[in-house]
Amino acid sequence: MAHTELDLRERRAIEDMLNAKMPISKIAAEIGRHRSTVYREIKRNFFTDEELPYLNGNYGMVAQREAAKRRARRRKLIRLEALRAHVVDRLIEGWTPEQIAGRLGFEGQPVRVSHETIYAYVYSKEGQSEDLARHLPSRRKKRRPRYSRRPRGQMFPQERSIHQRPDYVATREPFGEWEGDLMIFERSQGKMNVASILERKTRFAVLFRNNDRSSTQLINKLMDVMEPLPQTARKSITFDRGFEFRAWRKLKSGIGTESWFCDPQAPWQKGAVENLNKRARRYLPRDTQLAALSNRNMKAICDRLNGTPRKCLGWRTPTEAFREEMMKLR
C-alpha cells in the first residue's frame, strides 16, 4: 500500500476523539490507521503554550499547519533550484552534507538548509534518480530518521571508553592488548567483510572473513580465533563504536577479554589496526571477490603481513616478536 500522510479530516477526528477520552487503539481503528501512527501524530504535533498551559493539547488545525511546515522544509531543495544546484555541486566535490550546511551559515547566505534536509533529499526519489548517495563518504540503502536512530550510549557505556582504559596499554609495553576493526568492501560483495585484529606490542595481525555484519557472528568468530591463546595473551581489545561490535559483552563472559571503545569519529585512537588495514588493502582491495577467498588465501595474506620486517620492532617480523612474547609466558 502506498504511503499517505494524515489529512486535516483525520487530524480533526483525532482531536475530537482525544477530547472524548477515547483510547489510542480505538482512535486508530476508527480512522483506519495503525496505532503507532496515531501515537506519533500526537507526539509530533502536540501544542504547548508556556504562558497559558491550560491551552496545551492536540488541535487538528495546528497539527495540519505543523505538518505542512515540515513538508515545506523537506521539499526546500526541490522548490529552490539555485540552492539545489549548489548543494549537488558541493556533494560532487566531495563535501559532506554537514560541511555544506555549515558553510552556508558561515557565509551568511539568506537561504540555508540543514544537513538533515540534504540527507533527506539525497535519499529521496529525486536524489536517487541522480544517484547522489554515491558522493557521500559512506552510503546506506536509506537514511534513518534522526529521531529514530539507535543511541549508542547504552551500547558502548562510558566506563568502556578508551579514556578509562589503563594507561599502561597506551605504552605498548604489555603484551596481550589488541585492536580490532572491520574492512568493508564494494556493495557487489553484499554483506561480506573481513575482520582485522592486531596485537599492539608485536604488531601481529589476524584476518578472518565474515559472511555478514551480524555482531553475534563476528564476536563468536573472534572468540574462536582468540580462545586458543593463553589468557595473558588476550587481555583486551580496543574497537571503534561500529554496530558490528555491539555484542562485545560476550568477550568478557566467553573468554575473559576486556573491551574498550574509541571516541566517536576518532579512528586514530586505534591507529595500529588502521595501519594494518591500509597495508592489507594491497592484497584485499575493495573489489575483492570475497566469496572466492578461501581460508588458505586468508592465512597466506596474514603470513605475508606478519612475515615482513618492521622498523618499530627493530626489524624483526611480527611473527618473530609474537613468538618471543609467547615463549615468555611459558
Side-chain angles (χ1 to χ4, degrees):
M1 181 182 292
H3 166 73
T4 56
E5 297 187 353
L6 291 168
D7 57 24
L8 179 58
R9 179 188 59 81
E10 291 173 306
R11 290 189 166 103
R12 280 177 169 164
I14 291 173
E15 176 187 351
D16 293 339
M17 286 185 276
L18 284 175
N19 290 335
K21 308 298 182 183
M22 288 179 61
I24 302 299
S25 57
K26 190 170 182 180
I27 295 175
E30 286 290 331
I31 65 174
R33 297 280 188 168
H34 194 278
R35 62 179 180 275
S36 64
T37 300
V38 179
Y39 275 116
R40 186 165 55 247
E41 168 68 16
I42 294 170
K43 181 178 179 180
R44 295 178 73 186
N45 296 320
F46 190 84
F47 175 77
T48 302
D49 190 320
E50 295 181 358
E51 296 183 358
L52 302 173
Y54 64 87
L55 294 177
N56 293 355
N58 189 278
Y59 302 98
M61 284 297 298
V62 173
Q64 184 72 12
R65 191 160 50 244
E66 290 301 312
K69 288 180 182 178
R70 283 195 298 272
R71 282 197 297 274
R73 288 196 296 269
R74 192 169 66 222
R75 308 297 288 178
K76 183 182 286 187
L77 289 173
I78 293 177
R79 292 187 291 106
L80 305 177
E81 185 176 348
L83 178 63
R84 180 176 69 251
H86 173 77
V87 168
V88 171
D89 179 67
R90 296 298 88 193
L91 285 170
I92 294 173
E93 286 295 314
W95 291 29
T96 67
E98 192 170 24
Q99 289 169 336
I100 298 170
R103 187 67 183 183
L104 287 171
F106 175 78
E107 294 176 347
Q109 296 293 335
V111 181
R112 304 179 191 178
V113 65
S114 74
H115 68 279
E116 288 291 339
T117 300
I118 298 175
Y119 274 118
Y121 177 75
V122 167
Y123 287 101
S124 70
K125 180 176 65 176
E126 294 80 7
Q128 288 178 350
S129 68
E130 299 179 58
D131 198 16
L132 295 179
R134 65 191 173 94
H135 301 298
L136 297 176
S138 59
R139 62 185 295 175
R140 299 175 175 85
K141 289 185 179 179
K142 62 181 179 178
R143 176 73 169 169
R144 185 181 292 273
R146 174 171 50 177
Y147 297 110
S148 69
R149 294 175 203 156
R150 292 170 286 183
R152 303 196 184 194
Q154 296 178 354
M155 199 176 299
F156 307 113
Q158 184 60 33
E159 58 267 23
R160 292 287 98 194
S161 166
I162 193 171
H163 301 292
Q164 304 301 321
R165 189 179 69 177
D167 292 339
Y168 62 77
V169 177
T171 66
R172 298 187 185 275
E173 294 179 1
F175 175 65
E177 312 289 350
W178 297 71
E179 294 179 5
D181 201 7
L182 210 64
M183 297 175 65
I184 306 301
F185 294 80
E186 288 184 348
R187 296 180 68 188
S188 60
Q189 304 304 314
K191 296 182 179 180
M192 298 184 73
N193 59 79
V194 171
S196 55
I197 57 173
L198 177 136
E199 201 285 315
R200 287 172 52 84
K201 182 176 183 179
T202 63
R203 308 315 200 267
F204 185 81
V206 178
L207 305 175
F208 57 89
R209 190 185 64 181
N210 300 292
N211 292 329
D212 59 40
R213 297 180 68 172
S214 162
S215 183
T216 298
Q217 177 178 305
L218 170 62
I219 296 300
N220 286 342
K221 293 191 72 171
L222 182 56
M223 289 194 293
D224 290 342
V225 168
M226 300 196 73
E227 192 170 18
L229 298 174
Q231 180 65 57
T232 48
R234 47 175 167 82
K235 292 180 284 191
S236 78
I237 308 179
T238 300
F239 302 105
D240 59 29
R241 294 177 180 242
F243 284 120
E244 301 83 10
F245 307 117
R246 63 184 179 273
W248 60 271
R249 291 176 176 84
K250 297 183 68 175
L251 286 174
K252 179 64 175 178
S253 60
I255 59 175
T257 300
E258 299 283 358
S259 299
W260 305 103
F261 295 94
C262 301
D263 294 331
Q265 309 301 320
W268 60 86
Q269 292 178 340
K270 53 176 179 60
V273 74
E274 293 288 339
N275 180 266
L276 165 65
N277 291 347
K278 183 178 180 180
R279 292 184 292 116
R281 284 293 185 188
R282 296 173 60 187
Y283 315 109
L284 294 169
R286 290 186 177 273
D287 60 353
T288 300
Q289 300 294 316
L290 292 180
L293 204 63
S294 67
N295 291 335
R296 180 175 296 181
N297 296 142
M298 293 298 299
K299 185 178 184 305
I301 294 172
C302 289
D303 289 346
R304 178 172 292 188
L305 292 168
N306 291 325
T308 304
R310 302 291 300 276
K311 182 178 180 180
C312 59
L313 299 175
W315 302 115
R316 294 176 298 163
T317 67
T319 296
E320 292 168 340
F322 190 81
R323 285 174 178 169
E324 289 178 15
E325 294 296 331
M326 291 294 289
M327 290 295 292
K328 295 176 183 177
L329 300 179
R330 293 185 178 179

